[in-house]
Amino acid sequence: MSGPGTPAGPTPEPAAKRAGRWDAVVVGGGIAGLSAAWELARAGLAPLLIEARGYTGGLVAGAEIAGVPMDLGAEGFALRGAGDGVFPVAQMAEELGLAVRAPQGRPRLFLPPLEGTGAWSLHRFPAQALLGIPADPLAADVVDIIGQEAAHRAAADRELPAAVGTDPQAPGDLASFVSARMGPGVLERLVRPIVAGIHTADPSLLAADAIAPGLRRETARLGSLAAAVESRLGTRSASRSASVEGGMLALTGALREAIEAAGGTVATRTGAQWMRREAGAWSLGIAATGRGATPSDEPVPVAPEEVVRTGRVVLACSAGAALRLLTGAGLDTEVPIARGAPIARLIMVLRAPGLDGEPVGSGLLVAPGQAPVGARALTHLSVKWPWIGRGLRQEHGPGIHALRLSYGAGGPQLAAALEDVAVLTGVRLGPEAVIEHKLVRWDGTLPPATPEHRERVARLEESVAGLEGLAVTGAWVAGTGIAAVVGHARRAGTRLAGDRFGGDEIGAP
């Protein structure tokens, strides 16, 4: 991540003060590492969590803008479980004493005209849909978006053999699955803009089983994709999303506090340089770190190494760092990692009474193509998350709003962003309306969860599972989305917490 406002974190202790024997070591202080370390701490262990950057939270980072804390990265999570009735993020938040809140306002799509001529226009998200896949393709709000012909093609999904798109030999990407079942209209005007907006990758690059776990299996069982979506929408695990009161930054902050309160240690600006198995335990070389050549590069060691030993290691760091460390475990780490799409997000706090009417609800996603704006999405943060709106009104009075615009590489000039706001909301604002703004860039951090990537990672996980006291987790392993990452990380922490290593229990110094 780059841009002003990156949390600096405390100055780390010299590595020598932390060298020694530990109950567990977690490498990586993003949401995955924090979740795994929390599970270890809850089990009565005292983990050492090390993070090479100067702050914890990773892509769940925040900063104060115009006097109000706001999320800079992930702002929410899907209320999705693993089929066992457990929803790992919501459950974790509640156990930490945080209130789970649903977003306010209904989102919209900004789409080109159906017939290829005319103006782009706003459409409400279908009321009954999962990632844009409708439970009823003939519903009025779906027909309004895709047209009658495409809607009838999509409705034919219920007449197709259950094996279409679900056969083991069928392509595993989400685009192929949706197109095979419901046709190109649903894919192009619903699924593609929604999935690209949420996951910053085209659905043709994303594994259906990673983005919508179990959906293909349910389609085969129930006989149609519409029936599978309808079944999902009848449970809490549907496409609903949530956050915690105060934002996701409150969740990562509470996790860190809980880990430290339970006796764990969190050390920023400290990275693992190598790892190997020695005498029935894991040895890791750790060192104080400084910034890499660019903000998105892995931090580099700036001090001599010290060695820590433990019976349990969770690798919850980036793919490159994890694969480098796994070479010391003697594993085949030939897992090519595609670079994710760069993202630039501009958050603006505006004095704009014209936005009081919430012209785009909680925000909108822009369909890929020749759109009349440069932004890929607009979120009306002070509507979507009411605590932001309340905080801004307390600080600055009425008529104050927070908008976030998402772009590709680089990001816009302020004047261009305000022009996009005018096109998308109908409210024209000049630079004098801007109270404060912040541009944050995420440079290819999240690789797309392609079917090939998922297969290779699954094989690597099998190899890791065969090694005592070792787990690997994080978005590159679990798939994108906070729900997937947290669920995977919590399972990794719980599994290692339950492991026992004979009489050689390793305790914190």
Side-chain angles (χ1 to χ4, degrees):
M1 183 181 73
S2 62
T6 300
T11 302
E13 295 177 339
K17 289 188 178 181
R18 298 185 302 274
R21 298 164 73 87
W22 292 83
D23 290 345
V25 174
V26 178
V27 181
I31 187 70
L34 290 166
S35 299
W38 180 66
E39 289 291 354
L40 291 163
R42 290 207 307 161
L45 303 174
L48 168 65
L49 183 150
I50 58 175
E51 166 54 52
R53 300 184 186 276
Y55 59 97
T56 54
L59 293 179
V60 186
E64 200 170 272
I65 305 174
V68 177
M70 300 186 198
D71 290 311
L72 300 178
E75 59 172 335
F77 55 90
L79 285 171
R80 186 179 81 194
D84 54 5
V86 176
F87 301 88
V89 189
Q91 180 196 62
M92 182 169 69
E94 290 164 357
E95 291 182 5
L96 289 165
L98 302 173
V100 175
R101 303 297 188 206
Q104 301 301 297
R106 190 170 166 185
R108 290 164 170 78
L109 290 167
F110 190 56
L111 299 170
L114 265 173
E115 303 301 324
T117 59
W120 285 55
S121 58
L122 287 171
H123 301 262
R124 287 180 177 269
F125 272 41
Q128 296 295 309
L130 172 71
L131 294 174
I133 307 168
D136 178 8
L138 297 177
D141 54 3
V142 177
V143 175
D144 176 64
I145 294 172
I146 69 176
Q148 286 283 352
E149 183 178 348
H152 284 285
R153 163 61 187 90
D157 157 67
R158 292 189 182 270
E159 309 302 322
L160 294 175
V164 172
T166 65
D167 185 275
Q169 304 305 314
D173 65 281
L174 183 63
S176 296
F177 172 51
V178 171
S179 184
R181 297 296 319 182
M182 288 193 171
V186 168
L187 173 63
E188 297 300 333
R189 291 184 65 84
L190 284 171
V191 175
R192 178 156 276 134
I194 290 174
V195 170
I198 294 172
H199 294 281
T200 66
D202 191 86
S204 64
L205 300 175
L206 301 174
D209 293 338
I211 302 305
L215 189 62
R216 290 205 305 167
R217 182 175 63 251
E218 290 174 39
T219 298
R221 180 176 64 86
L222 297 174
S224 74
L225 177 54
V229 170
E230 188 174 37
S231 175
R232 287 285 186 94
L233 295 176
T235 71
R236 190 184 175 193
S237 63
S239 58
R240 292 173 52 210
S241 62
S243 188
V244 298
E245 183 79 28
M248 294 299 290
L249 71 166
L251 177 60
T252 55
L255 281 169
R256 178 169 179 166
E257 290 175 6
I259 293 164
E260 294 177 324
T265 297
V266 177
T268 57
R269 290 287 176 214
T270 305
Q273 308 306 310
W274 53 264
M275 177 182 74
R276 57 178 174 259
R277 188 80 174 165
E278 295 178 332
W282 293 101
S283 296
L284 296 92
I286 67 172
T289 54
R291 296 179 185 275
T294 71
S296 59
D297 286 338
E298 188 179 342
V300 297
V302 295
E305 294 176 0
E306 299 290 340
V307 177
V308 296
R309 297 188 72 238
T310 181
R312 305 171 180 86
V313 175
V314 178
L315 298 182
C317 45
S318 64
L323 294 173
R324 172 172 54 79
L325 293 170
L326 285 171
T327 59
L331 297 181
D332 177 7
T333 56
E334 187 59 37
V335 183
I337 305 296
R339 190 170 179 82
I343 308 168
R345 285 176 170 163
L346 178 67
I347 299 175
M348 297 187 290
V349 172
L350 304 155
R351 189 172 300 280
L355 294 173
D356 288 350
E358 305 176 11
V360 295
S362 61
L364 58 86
L365 296 172
V366 178
Q370 301 300 313
V373 294
R376 297 177 178 180
L378 180 150
T379 305
H380 198 156
L381 292 172
S382 46
V383 169
K384 187 174 184 179
W385 308 118
W387 57 83
I388 294 179
R390 289 194 298 269
L392 290 174
R393 288 190 293 273
Q394 290 170 4
E395 289 284 333
H396 305 282
I400 307 299
H401 296 267
L403 301 180
R404 186 186 68 202
L405 290 95
S406 299
Y407 294 85
Q413 297 295 318
L414 184 59
L418 289 171
E419 184 59 33
D420 283 353
V421 170
V423 173
L424 295 171
T425 70
V427 178
R428 185 164 293 279
L429 301 164
E432 71 282 354
V434 180
I435 296 173
E436 187 175 344
H437 68 283
K438 189 178 297 294
L439 177 66
V440 181
R441 293 189 295 273
W442 307 89
D443 297 326
T445 306
L446 290 175
T450 64
E452 296 78 11
H453 171 80
R454 298 290 300 161
E455 290 174 7
R456 289 178 174 177
V457 166
R459 289 197 294 270
L460 179 64
E461 282 194 275
E462 288 180 9
S463 299
V464 170
L467 297 175
E468 188 176 62
L470 180 63
V472 61
T473 189
W476 71 279
V477 180
T480 57
I482 298 297
V485 172
V486 168
H488 191 281
R490 291 188 62 185
R491 290 190 295 273
T494 299
R495 178 174 68 81
L496 287 197
D499 286 348
R500 291 294 179 265
F501 306 98
D504 186 26
E505 281 300 296
I506 297 177

